[in-house]
Amino acid sequence: MSKILMKGNEAVAEAAIRAGCRLYFAYPITPQSELIEYMAKMMPKVNGTFLQAESEVSAINMVYGAAGAGKRVMTSSSSPGIALKMEGVSYMAGAELPAVIINVQRGGPGLGDIQPSQGDYFQATKGGGHGDYRMIVLAPSSVQEFADMAAEAFDLADKYRNPVMILADGMLGQMMEPVEFKPAKTQEEIDALGNIHNSWCICPNEDGDAKHHHEINSLEIDPSVLEKHVNELYEKYGRIERDEVRFDTYNVSDDNEILCVAWGTASRIVKSAINELTAQGKSVGLIRPITCWPFPYEAVAEAIGPKVRKVYVFELNTGQMLDDVKIAVQGKVPVTFWGKVGGIVFTPAEIKEKLEACF
Amino acid sequence: MTTEMICAGFGGQGVLTIGRFIAQAAMKEGRNVSWLPSYGPEMRGGTANVSTVVSDEPIASPIVSFPDVLVALNQPSVDKFAPSIRKGGVIIINTSMCPHGCKRDDVQKVAAPMSDIAQEIGSQMVLNMLAIGIIIGKTGLIKYETIEEELNSFLKEKNPDLLEKNLTAIKRGIEIGQK
Amino acid sequence: MEVIAKRPESLTKTPFTYCPGCLHGVAHRLIAEAIDEQGLINKMAGVAPVGCSVFAYKFFNFDMAQAAHGRAPAVATGIKRARPDMHVFAYQGDGDLAAIGTAEIVHAANRGEHISVFFVNNAIYGMTGGQMAPTTLPDMKTTTSPYGRKVDDIGYPIRVCELLATLVAPYYIERVSLLSPAEIIKAKKAVSKAIQYNKEGRGFTFIEFVSTCPTNWGFDPVKSRDWARENMLPFYKPGVFRDKGEGVE
């Protein structure tokens, strides 16, 4: 398969279809418009469902219904729209429904602007909806990774019966890079996927004698029953924390004097700065959480080499992942933060300047 | 080897397409590329710009702080981006729309009345192809043949007349760039 | 021995939890009977709302989803689109459907979504303790309109059937009442027709039940029916607002 030059928004949509997603419900918002438009164009060609909902709230509840019916389903939006979807995310976590949600983040709070931002880290990882739940959050840093995460997100959602978010941003959505797609799932594979949840989901009684009554539900009015349910969820989240932590390192070595921590778009800018500093003989490493939840606490701690004087966190916000980094570092070395907000993406030159000042 | 380029101009001048064709062609030639547009309301009528990176290495940041090549199709683009061109870099200026030019003397300048030349060839629609020609002529960033193949693939059937004008514009650009 | 009455197969054995005199149980039974009669139990899915009928997912004997407040038509849409071979209905009360869920019901109807929606209108929020609903009548007292619904301040009650009948797509819209055996028999015919249309894939079908809330209205069951007849029916007139199957446009 040859490489195609594609926008992140389109690449992730194509990859989702290839991963067997045949249901997509969403509401238009910048800067994810290419995603919904791609789905509008391509879903009918694969006999899939594209539905432009009346609101983000409706869209996420359509996702709830389709996920409750056991099928691979996706929605996408950008920050303010994701905020509206959070009610549905909480319900899906409570009802243990698998679904994929894409957030192409833009500047906030409020209407904010439409430029790239990482302002929704807290919203995504610390419970944007109500109640005691967790959502798996994958953060891509390239168009290729954005696309690859579609299949991974569906697999994780199916495996744990939990909503999974791909937390991208306006830059990843809008930029074009070469992307190579995995082969599309065959109709047989998709049909098989469509039935893996039949033991609990809404589905027809194939055999009239073996009648089932499946309930898609997050309501447990009896406190002791709800307590049990939440504890079971908590146990599941523990398994996810144990088995699904993903991260990437760049230039991490025992010579590092500074260890950077950055995710998504921000990590790419930091890499450029590290390259320039390496050329000057300065050793700086980078650890990039790929799963924002579960956060790679141990990996961050382990990446701190013996000569590291400072852990430097760079984000396109005012310091959100910073809290998780501090938990990981546990005060062993100083943790510093620098970020840009307002939808402004910092440049390699700016990061380089910040890092140079540490030497 | 990494080349970082910014193309900027008024919305409608086709600056995004310049970057896109360069990225597309470079990708075909086996190199790593990224294409990062400005987006939003400024895309219509305001100043649009696109950062394109072509590299033999994996591309870290797609954001260009100090371009090796600047294509400036109007004066605001010169004013905004010329100060950050790397020393010894290239600025391609559309003098039809840049009355004040570029004051820097530590960069290589290619100045031509690009809008007028495009009109001569037949349409403002070929302004971007003229720019691509100049980039090829001046920097050799991509091969002419790759672009020609690319244009052939989607214009030969659909609009042979426009194809011809585009190829003329690229060739003319190459001449200007090689001067 | 001849069986003259039995629990519909489409109802579970879970006892209803509704108040004495409440008509939700009647509405549930009519829907269950119609599903039995159409032989749809193995291909049926329902969506329960938030409100008094929040536990409807326990009462119907096929796959059920419980939706967030007002979102039942969106959830039903998702199920139907994911499982087009199944038949789907949503069951909603007046606060759920006509206040917080206004967008969802209007747009599901406007898409002509192939689902049935059963709407129980008793002019009050029951579960949360008798607050004013979008269908609360003018001057009617509730816990959040203690001086009566002031239409100059909060507006008039919404007639949902009439509202939806302005849309082109809906296939069948009828308002019925559940206030007497005769009305219940009539209501059953409407429910059966909606389920039949649903089975035949005709389009969006909508039944409004004019109902009562003895507990929050503060009347006994008999008086609450009289009150509904005198006050609800003049404002919420029963009738067929749309029946494309019978040429009623």
Side-chain angles (χ1 to χ4, degrees):
Chain A
M1 182 94 200
S2 61
K3 287 184 174 175
I4 305 168
L5 191 64
M6 227 173 174
K7 283 194 171 194
N9 280 336
E10 295 176 332
V12 75
E14 172 63 27
I17 291 171
R18 284 166 182 262
C21 175
R22 288 294 179 273
L23 293 141
Y24 171 85
F25 305 94
Y27 185 83
I29 185 170
T30 309
Q32 63 92 53
S33 299
E34 294 84 359
L35 210 170
I36 185 170
E37 287 164 9
Y38 193 89
M39 286 300 198
K41 195 167 135 196
M42 300 309 287
M43 272 300 192
K45 295 185 181 179
V46 293
N47 293 320
T49 293
F50 165 83
L51 202 161
Q52 180 171 328
E54 58 271 23
S55 69
E56 284 92 348
V57 176
S58 292
I60 195 73
N61 283 284
M62 290 170 186
V63 169
Y64 176 95
K71 303 290 188 181
R72 287 200 158 180
V73 56
M74 186 168 103
T75 186
S76 65
S77 190
S78 179
S79 307
I82 293 292
L84 285 169
K85 289 183 195 291
M86 280 299 168
E87 177 197 47
V89 171
S90 168
Y91 276 68
M92 282 194 286
E96 296 194 79
L97 300 183
V100 174
I101 301 138
I102 296 176
N103 182 358
V104 183
Q105 292 170 96
R106 60 187 247 185
L111 208 45
D113 65 16
I114 57 173
Q115 301 303 319
S117 164
Q118 297 185 319
D120 300 345
Y121 183 92
F122 281 157
Q123 183 202 49
T125 64
K126 309 295 175 195
H130 63 283
D132 210 346
Y133 78 94
R134 296 288 186 171
M135 174 167 62
I136 298 170
V137 182
L138 304 172
S141 68
S142 69
V143 171
Q144 181 69 58
E145 195 178 25
F146 198 3
D148 290 344
M149 276 178 180
E152 192 179 10
F154 277 111
D155 289 345
L156 286 167
D158 281 338
K159 183 175 176 186
Y160 294 102
R161 285 181 57 188
N162 205 70
V164 177
M165 175 174 280
I166 303 179
L167 190 57
D169 62 56
M171 190 180 101
L172 288 164
Q174 293 296 325
M175 75 186 285
M176 287 204 280
E177 285 187 306
V179 57
E180 208 169 346
F181 290 106
K182 295 192 172 73
K185 288 199 186 300
T186 63
Q187 192 55 49
E188 288 71 34
E189 287 172 319
I190 292 168
D191 291 345
L193 277 172
N195 294 319
I196 59 170
H197 297 303
N198 279 3
S199 63
W200 59 265
C201 77
I202 290 174
C203 56
N205 278 299
E206 298 299 347
D207 178 356
D209 293 333
K211 217 148 47 70
H212 55 72
H213 171 76
H214 296 156
E215 293 174 359
I216 305 304
N217 176 40
S218 63
L219 172 67
E220 299 295 354
I221 206 78
D222 179 340
S224 64
V225 178
L226 182 61
E227 180 191 36
K228 185 168 170 282
H229 176 57
V230 174
N231 281 333
E232 281 166 4
L233 290 179
Y234 180 72
E235 193 267 332
K236 174 171 85 175
Y237 301 148
R239 278 186 281 127
I240 298 171
E241 285 174 326
R242 189 191 66 204
D243 296 338
E244 307 298 349
V245 171
R246 292 161 177 49
F247 61 92
D248 190 19
T249 58
Y250 187 72
N251 208 40
V252 167
S253 79
D254 284 353
D255 295 330
N256 288 163
E257 293 186 56
I258 307 289
L259 177 70
C260 299
V261 191
W263 59 283
T265 282
S267 69
R268 292 183 67 139
I269 321 292
V270 173
K271 269 188 195 174
S272 279
I274 288 175
N275 289 344
E276 294 192 30
L277 291 168
T278 304
Q280 296 174 10
K282 292 172 176 138
S283 181
V284 179
L286 165 72
I287 180 162
R288 171 174 75 95
I290 294 173
T291 46
C292 292
W293 191 87
F295 188 82
Y297 293 108
E298 282 176 26
V300 168
E302 283 166 14
I304 304 169
K307 295 182 193 160
V308 167
R309 286 177 281 115
K310 188 183 271 187
V311 170
Y312 217 136
V313 178
F314 295 101
E315 296 180 83
L316 300 171
N317 58 38
T318 53
Q320 296 193 16
M321 180 190 66
L322 173 64
D323 288 6
D324 280 327
V325 174
K326 283 180 177 169
I327 292 169
V329 173
Q330 294 191 2
K332 285 175 191 148
V333 288
V335 178
T336 309
F337 171 82
W338 189 71
K340 280 279 223 182
V341 293
I344 299 166
V345 181
F346 40 58
T347 63
E350 289 171 318
I351 301 293
K352 187 178 159 221
E353 192 190 314
K354 293 289 163 193
L355 290 171
E356 271 175 334
C358 304
F359 284 89
Chain B
M1 164 94 180
T2 299
T3 305
E4 298 184 322
M5 182 172 83
I6 291 177
C7 305
F10 289 123
Q13 283 186 311
V15 292
L16 299 187
T17 315
I18 300 173
R20 184 173 178 154
F21 268 96
I22 297 286
Q24 183 84 29
M27 181 183 78
K28 285 260 160 78
E29 291 174 14
R31 309 188 67 193
N32 295 300
V33 299
S34 68
W35 176 93
L36 178 65
S38 61
Y39 62 90
E42 80 264 34
M43 279 180 69
R44 301 277 182 273
T47 304
N49 71 80
V50 60
S51 301
T52 308
V53 182
V54 176
S55 179
D56 297 317
E57 309 297 322
I59 293 165
S61 169
I63 291 175
V64 175
S65 308
F66 304 109
D68 301 299
V69 180
L70 171 67
V71 178
L73 296 184
N74 63 4
Q75 188 67 48
S77 301
V78 178
D79 299 343
K80 185 170 180 187
F81 295 109
S84 57
I85 303 170
R86 265 184 218 280
K87 203 174 159 190
V90 173
I91 178 167
I92 296 166
I93 307 178
N94 175 16
T95 54
S96 313
M97 295 194 136
C98 301
H100 308 299
C102 169
K103 305 278 180 285
R104 283 186 62 172
D105 50 17
D106 57 348
V107 296
Q108 309 172 54
K109 288 182 200 169
V110 183
M114 294 164 66
S115 298
D116 299 334
I117 297 169
Q119 204 61 45
E120 257 171 53
I121 295 167
S123 164
Q124 284 304 316
M125 278 177 73
V126 302
L127 177 62
N128 49 15
M129 291 299 145
L130 184 69
I132 289 170
I134 299 174
I135 294 165
I136 295 172
K138 183 68 190 171
T139 69
L141 184 57
I142 53 162
K143 296 190 185 80
Y144 168 77
E145 292 73 20
T146 321
I147 284 280
E148 188 187 17
E149 197 182 313
E150 197 67 26
L151 285 170
N152 269 331
S153 71
F154 72 96
L155 276 180
K156 201 163 191 174
E157 307 285 314
K158 233 168 61 182
N159 196 339
D161 180 49
L162 184 62
L163 173 67
E164 209 43 55
K165 286 198 178 102
N166 275 330
L167 294 177
T168 307
I170 296 171
K171 286 172 193 155
R172 185 73 186 280
I174 292 174
E175 284 168 23
I176 295 168
Q178 283 173 342
K179 259 184 211 163
Chain C
M1 197 164 61
E2 191 191 353
V3 176
I4 53 167
K6 64 173 179 125
R7 175 186 296 277
E9 214 191 327
S10 289
L11 288 178
T12 61
K13 288 180 180 161
T14 308
F16 290 153
T17 42
Y18 299 114
C19 303
C22 175
L23 297 170
H24 270 304
V26 175
H28 284 15
R29 182 170 176 112
L30 297 184
I31 295 165
E33 284 178 359
I35 292 166
D36 279 6
E37 286 160 16
Q38 297 289 335
L40 288 181
I41 189 169
N42 291 320
K43 293 165 83 177
M44 204 72 207
V47 183
V50 169
C52 287
S53 47
V54 66
F55 291 120
Y57 66 89
K58 290 183 186 293
F59 303 142
F60 286 103
N61 193 19
F62 34 76
D63 291 356
M64 292 289 294
Q66 197 287 319
H69 200 19
R71 317 299 175 217
V75 172
T77 296
I79 296 169
K80 180 65 185 174
R81 298 293 180 122
R83 299 273 182 188
D85 52 337
M86 293 185 76
H87 303 279
V88 184
F89 74 87
Y91 187 100
Q92 299 185 265
D94 42 51
D96 192 78
L97 181 138
I100 195 168
T102 316
E104 282 76 8
I105 188 61
V106 168
H107 286 274
N110 192 47
R111 287 191 301 269
E113 205 64 52
H114 285 213
I115 58 171
S116 299
V117 177
F118 298 107
F119 168 44
V120 177
N121 177 7
N122 59 3
I124 207 156
Y125 283 77
M127 185 180 71
T128 44
Q131 292 84 9
M132 186 184 68
T135 52
T136 292
L137 295 170
D139 298 322
M140 184 174 163
K141 285 184 182 172
T142 70
T143 55
T144 53
S145 57
Y147 311 109
R149 179 181 187 135
K150 298 289 174 242
V151 294
D152 289 342
D153 182 41
I154 198 71
Y156 285 85
I158 294 174
R159 294 184 177 110
V160 176
C161 286
E162 287 85 339
L163 182 75
L164 296 182
T166 64
L167 304 172
V168 177
Y171 192 83
Y172 175 47
I173 301 170
E174 181 165 354
R175 180 184 290 126
V176 295
S177 58
L178 298 174
L179 307 177
S180 68
E183 288 161 283
I184 290 169
I185 288 166
K186 213 173 165 196
K188 171 66 190 298
K189 285 183 180 148
V191 172
S192 292
K193 189 180 254 186
I195 295 293
Q196 187 198 326
Y197 284 160
N198 189 321
K199 181 184 182 183
E200 293 166 0
R202 304 272 192 114
F204 182 82
T205 53
F206 185 87
I207 303 293
E208 174 176 342
F209 301 100
V210 175
S211 187
T212 63
C213 183
T215 301
N216 287 299
W217 289 1
F219 304 135
D220 65 39
V222 174
K223 193 177 173 207
S224 64
R225 288 176 202 205
D226 293 340
W227 190 90
R229 184 173 313 288
E230 283 159 28
N231 298 281
M232 297 276 283
L233 293 187
F235 192 85
Y236 300 111
K237 292 190 177 69
V240 178
F241 294 86
R242 174 76 53 78
D243 186 350
K244 291 186 182 177
E246 305 278 355
V248 182
E249 293 283 343

